[in-house]
Structure formats: structure tokens, C-alpha cells
Amino acid sequence: MACSSSDLSGWIEGMIEELTASNGQHSSRSPLVTTDSPHCTHNALDSLLDTTGFPSQQAAAPSSSQHYQETLVDRFTGQQLPCMTSLPESSNSWMLHHVPSTTSYSSKTMLPPPPSAPMERINGRVQQKVVNSNAALKEQEDSGVQLVHSLLACAEAVQHGDLVRAEETVCHIQLLASPPGPMGKVAAHFIEALTLRIYSGTSLVRNVTNYESDNSLTELLHFHYYETCPYLKFAHLTANQAILEAFEGEKQVHVIDFNLMHGLQWPALIQALALRPGGPPALLRLTGIGPPHASGNEIGMKLAQLAESVNIEFEFRGVVALKLDEVKPWMLQVSPGEAVAVNSVLQLHRLLYSDGPHVPAAIDDVLQSVLGLKPKIVTIVEHEANHNAPGFLSRFTEALHYYSTMFDSLEACNLPPQSSQQLLVEMYLGREICNIVACEGVARVERHENLEQWRRRMVKAGFQPLQLGFNALKQAKSLLTLFSGDGYRVEENNGCLTLGWHTRPLIASSAWQYA
């Protein structure tokens, strides 16, 4: 079984299932058009050996029109192997360099047959090249099997609290040869995370658990991830389409964004509201929540300029908060009579930590606060994964499934190797991996849950689902035409939309309203 960039995730998944089965275990699994144009082209892997173009071993029919002295070239050694033969003028043999002969022969001249030894030598070398290629693929597969087995063994030791065995295993892993391509990159991030978890008393891991404090780096990574991959674009487009439809006919509208970041989501909505049938709303208010940063006012000013250019009355207000549960309803200043939309892109999973099974998590308070606003719509985009399981080994295995697929999908973006774009996108995902694997307790904020879990939670909180309509599906599929290759998939899931790579959903978009 060879491992290529197009089937990395499936290969790892099958390998994990085989390994866990052998140990008696079971792995757990669980119309707006933006003008963004990602610089993505898809390149399929070249075959290891081109088996076309071999010369025919049939003797060519002699021709009396012209005679040639032929030079047979061994393409592996570069040596010339002289032989005399007569070929038709139309011959296009790939190894024959035709040199017009100065000697003429009659049609009755008996020419010696071409020697068989050169062809045997060439075929032998081709066969040897195939054998060498297969051996290299087998060696790569064996190293991948050993690597996955060692990663799971280390994770199992961590779960059982056997840090001595975990340390020995991770030291062994670091000595293994790193497989090429996405698999080696995924493994490197998981090895780093395991190392940090094992040495959790060091200052290094404390810096990792506090990575969110570096707002400038977080914003930089977020921006490059948005520019390079379709996932955040999909999130913004589907949420905007749902908000646009919910605001139909409303004169005063208020959008509350749980993570303003660069404000990349809102220019498209402003333009769509300006062009909607019946004219734009009389007032559009935007409240952006996020950590303190110097560009907050600048973002508001740029959005205000855009709104003014399309004749929309616009108000912007920033709310500074490091965590969403620090925001109280009175801070949002919702006015009577306005239609409210609450937007959360990859934020609510950060509120799932609880001190115990009977202690409410922050998500409960936040959802009740949102419900109290009586919103016209709540749009939620979250990872389609289950990285919040209590057992470390099951969480580790699920994360290995998920991020092997995610790194696999990055290959379709065809980023220049070792370019800054590639390194920043991989760093964005690598920090998620590190938080899932290396951190526990309140420090572990990447507590991703799947769509079915979010459905149960939202209904329990008092919300009812809204269908993401045909226009959202159509626009999401149009977005994927900007990315080459056919690996990305948009699927409908009971009124929600998912974006994934081949058969695995990776991100899910849903909409809700006040019941």
C-alpha cells in the first residue's frame, strides 16, 4: 500500500484501525460571491516510472528507398551501441539517431540482425528501476507504519500516566526517518505536541498554552489561513448568505460578530445589503468583539467608508474582551426594534471547558445571553470533529485522523514548498494540534465538537434550526471553482452545510433562531 498526497488521510485511518484492532481497541470517529481569488492550482503527483515509449522489438520492414547507418544509444549508460539495419523513412524509434550513410547497398544485401544484448541490458535496467521504486515505496510505507504505531504507543503511555515509557517512546520516534510530504509534516506537529505534554513542567509548554496572548501572531496566521484555504471563506460566505436572507425587509439591522479579527467577513455583506431588492436598510450596525489590538478603529473606519460608498448608514462599535464569557448583554447595546444577527466562526468550542460534570460550562451562560437578545438569526461555524473526548488516547486518535485529512487538503492549494504562505498555514494548524494534545484543563481551548453535538446543545439552550437554503449551497459550490482539483466537497446535512476533503467533512455551518 503506497502512500500519496491524495490518500494520506485514508492510509493513516486504515493504519490506525489496523493497529488499534490488533490491541483490542477501537478508534472513535465521529447568492454571495466574494472577489477573493486564492492562488491555488492543483498538480497531480507524477508517476514514478513512465512505462510508455518503449521501442518495438519487431524487425522493421526493409526499405530500398534509402539506407541509414544507425546508432543505438543506451539511455542509461549513454554509450553508443553501433548496429547496421535498414528502416523506413517514417520510423520514429525513440532510441535511434539517424545518420545518413555514405555507403549505398543494394536491396539484396544481407544485413546482420541487430544484436540482442543491448535490448536485454536496457530492459534489465528498466526492471531494476521498477524494483528500486517499489522498494522505496515499501520502505516509505514501513516507516509510516512504524511512525503511526509509535505515536499511538506514546499516546497510550501518556493516558496511563506512564511518563517514563512515554519519554522513551517519543525519543525513539525522534530517531525515526520522517516520511516525505504531508505525512511527515503531520507527524512532526504531533511529535512536538507529545514532547511538550511529557515535559509539561518546562517554560516552553507554558508559552504554548498561552499562545492566544500573542494577538499579532494570531491575526497574522488567521489572515494567511483565510487567504490560502477555502475553509474560512466557506464559513463567511454561508453565514453571510443566511444573514442576508434573515434580514429581508428589515430596516434596522444589527450584526454582532464574536470574533472581528480583520473584519474580512463584512465587506461582502455590506455590498449585498446595498443591492438587495427593496433597497438597503436604513441603518446597519456592526458590533465586533475581540482582544485589544491597534487596528480595531482602522477596521471600523474602512468598513464605514465602504458603507458610505454604497449609500448605507453604518455604525461600528468594538467590544474588547479576551474571552466571550466576559461579554455581558448590556455591552452590546441592542436597540429596540432592530433585527439582530449573532455570528460565531470557530469560537464557541473555546467555551466548553467545565470544572466538573455538574458544573456549567461557559458556553451555557453565553448561549443564554444570546437567547436573551431574541436574535433573528444565529450563525455558527465549527470544526466537524470530536476533540473534546475525556480520554486522551481517543482524542489523540481523532485528531490524527482529522489533521492528516486537513494537511492532505492543503496539497491542493499547491503552495510553493517552504514558502512563507505554506509555513504560516501549517503553523496555524500546528498550534491547534499542540493545544489539543499538549494542554489540559482551562488551557485546552481547542475543544472541537461535531455538528450533531452542537445540534443537541443548541436545541437544549432554546434555539430552533434554520435551513441554510439553496443559495448558500450554490454559492459554496461556486467558491470551490476558485480552487483547482476535485478533492473539496460541499455537502448538505439536514439543513446545514459541510465542507470537507473527499469523503471527510472538516467544517460545518449552521443557522439558528430564537424559538
Side-chain angles (χ1 to χ4, degrees):
M1 183 187 345
C3 174
S4 69
S5 66
S6 62
D7 61 1
L8 167 65
S9 57
W11 183 86
I12 288 182
E13 179 178 338
M15 192 57 55
I16 289 175
E17 290 176 352
E18 291 176 14
L19 292 172
T20 54
S22 66
N23 293 327
Q25 300 169 353
H26 298 280
S27 60
S28 59
R29 295 192 60 191
S30 61
L32 292 177
V33 180
T34 62
T35 57
D36 308 302
S37 179
H39 308 289
C40 299
T41 57
H42 179 61
N43 237 341
L45 293 176
D46 295 329
S47 63
L48 293 173
L49 180 65
D50 184 0
T51 57
T52 62
F54 290 106
S56 172
Q57 296 189 31
Q58 279 189 324
S63 168
S64 59
S65 59
Q66 191 173 4
H67 299 279
Y68 291 90
Q69 180 179 5
E70 314 293 355
T71 303
L72 184 63
V73 179
D74 186 330
R75 66 169 177 168
F76 299 106
T77 65
Q79 296 177 347
Q80 294 184 347
L81 307 173
C83 68
M84 302 297 296
T85 187
S86 180
L87 297 175
E89 292 183 58
S90 61
S91 173
N92 58 358
S93 177
W94 64 285
M95 290 186 299
L96 296 179
H97 293 234
H98 303 291
V99 181
S101 172
T102 57
T103 306
S104 61
Y105 298 89
S106 69
S107 61
K108 297 181 180 181
T109 302
M110 298 297 296
L111 299 179
S116 59
M119 184 58 64
E120 292 175 358
R121 289 176 56 195
I122 291 174
N123 288 340
R125 293 178 184 275
V126 170
Q127 293 172 2
Q128 184 62 41
K129 187 172 182 181
V130 173
V131 170
N132 291 342
S133 298
N134 291 337
L137 290 174
K138 182 64 167 62
E139 182 179 354
Q140 177 181 332
E141 179 186 341
D142 290 343
S143 67
V145 171
Q146 188 177 9
L147 180 59
V148 173
H149 186 277
S150 299
L151 285 170
L152 292 176
C154 186
E156 185 177 20
V158 169
Q159 175 164 289
H160 294 312
D162 190 351
L163 295 185
V164 173
R165 183 162 66 94
E167 183 178 355
E168 292 174 351
T169 307
V170 83
C171 289
H172 168 71
I173 293 173
Q174 291 170 343
L175 297 177
L176 297 176
S178 177
M183 183 179 179
K185 295 175 182 179
V186 173
H189 286 292
F190 278 89
I191 293 168
E192 178 187 13
L194 283 170
T195 303
L196 289 168
R197 185 182 180 98
I198 292 168
Y199 299 102
S200 58
T202 65
S203 60
L204 181 59
V205 76
R206 285 198 295 269
N207 290 336
V208 173
T209 59
N210 294 328
Y211 72 85
E212 289 185 291
S213 62
D214 190 349
N215 295 325
S216 59
L217 178 58
T218 299
E219 291 181 3
L220 176 66
L221 297 180
H222 181 275
F223 177 78
H224 280 276
Y225 186 64
Y226 171 86
E227 284 290 303
T228 304
C229 308
Y231 300 107
L232 290 180
K233 289 181 171 67
F234 165 85
H236 293 175
L237 187 148
T238 53
N240 280 355
Q241 183 64 47
I243 293 171
L244 178 65
E245 293 174 4
F247 281 172
E248 183 179 0
E250 299 289 346
K251 296 302 182 182
Q252 293 191 3
V253 296
H254 185 178
V255 177
I256 299 171
D257 187 1
F258 276 1
N259 186 34
L260 180 65
M261 201 58 73
H262 300 91
L264 298 172
Q265 180 171 350
W266 306 119
L269 181 64
I270 292 173
Q271 293 172 334
L273 286 171
L275 297 174
R276 73 177 186 177
L283 176 64
L284 167 61
R285 298 179 64 206
L286 173 61
T287 298
I289 301 171
H293 52 81
S295 60
N297 291 332
E298 181 180 353
I299 293 171
M301 291 177 59
K302 288 183 177 179
L303 291 174
Q305 291 172 356
L306 173 62
E308 183 180 7
S309 68
V310 293
N311 298 317
I312 291 183
E313 186 72 22
F314 179 80
E315 292 181 5
F316 173 81
R317 184 170 179 271
V319 175
V320 176
L322 294 176
K323 296 188 298 182
L324 279 175
D325 52 327
E326 297 175 349
V327 179
K328 306 305 177 185
W330 61 265
M331 299 179 182
L332 304 175
Q333 298 185 2
V334 174
S335 301
E338 64 183 12
V340 175
V342 177
N343 180 74
S344 176
V345 175
L346 307 182
Q347 295 302 306
L348 293 184
H349 66 263
R350 299 171 181 266
L351 305 171
L352 296 179
Y353 170 72
S354 173
D355 286 326
H358 304 294
V359 179
I363 185 69
D364 299 321
D365 292 336
V366 170
L367 290 181
Q368 288 305 307
S369 296
V370 172
L371 192 68
L373 301 176
K374 298 182 179 180
K376 194 75 179 290
I377 188 172
V378 178
T379 50
I380 298 176
V381 180
E382 285 291 341
H383 303 76
E384 183 60 8
N386 184 14
H387 300 148
N388 197 31
F392 175 73
L393 182 58
S394 60
R395 187 167 75 242
F396 182 92
T397 304
E398 169 71 12
L400 191 57
H401 279 303
Y402 183 87
Y403 286 100
S404 65
T405 309
M406 184 65 77
F407 271 79
D408 200 2
S409 76
L410 295 183
E411 294 294 295
C413 295
N414 198 31
L415 295 172
Q418 302 303 314
S419 65
S420 60
Q421 300 103 308
Q422 182 187 58
L423 295 176
L424 289 170
V425 169
E426 291 172 359
M427 185 184 296
Y428 178 95
L429 297 175
R431 295 210 302 177
E432 289 186 355
I433 294 172
C434 202
N435 189 264
I436 292 168
V437 175
C439 302
E440 285 296 351
V442 69
R444 180 160 62 86
V445 296
E446 300 295 347
R447 296 175 175 266
H448 312 146
E449 292 189 348
N450 60 36
L451 183 57
E452 188 56 38
Q453 291 169 299
W454 283 110
R455 280 195 181 108
R456 292 196 297 266
R457 180 174 289 107
M458 294 298 290
V459 170
K460 183 180 178 181
F463 293 92
Q464 63 182 22
L466 278 175
Q467 300 283 319
L468 291 175
F470 173 75
N471 285 334
L473 176 62
K474 178 182 176 182
Q475 294 302 322
K477 290 186 175 181
S478 296
L479 168 68
L480 297 186
T481 63
L482 301 176
F483 292 82
S484 58
D486 59 354
Y488 292 112
R489 294 283 188 274
V490 174
E491 302 289 345
E492 193 272 341
N493 184 330
N494 294 326
C496 305
L497 294 179
T498 63
L499 171 61
W501 180 248
H502 291 292
T503 59
R504 167 133 195 179
L506 294 171
I507 191 172
S509 179
S510 61
W512 306 83
Q513 66 180 357
Y514 173 78

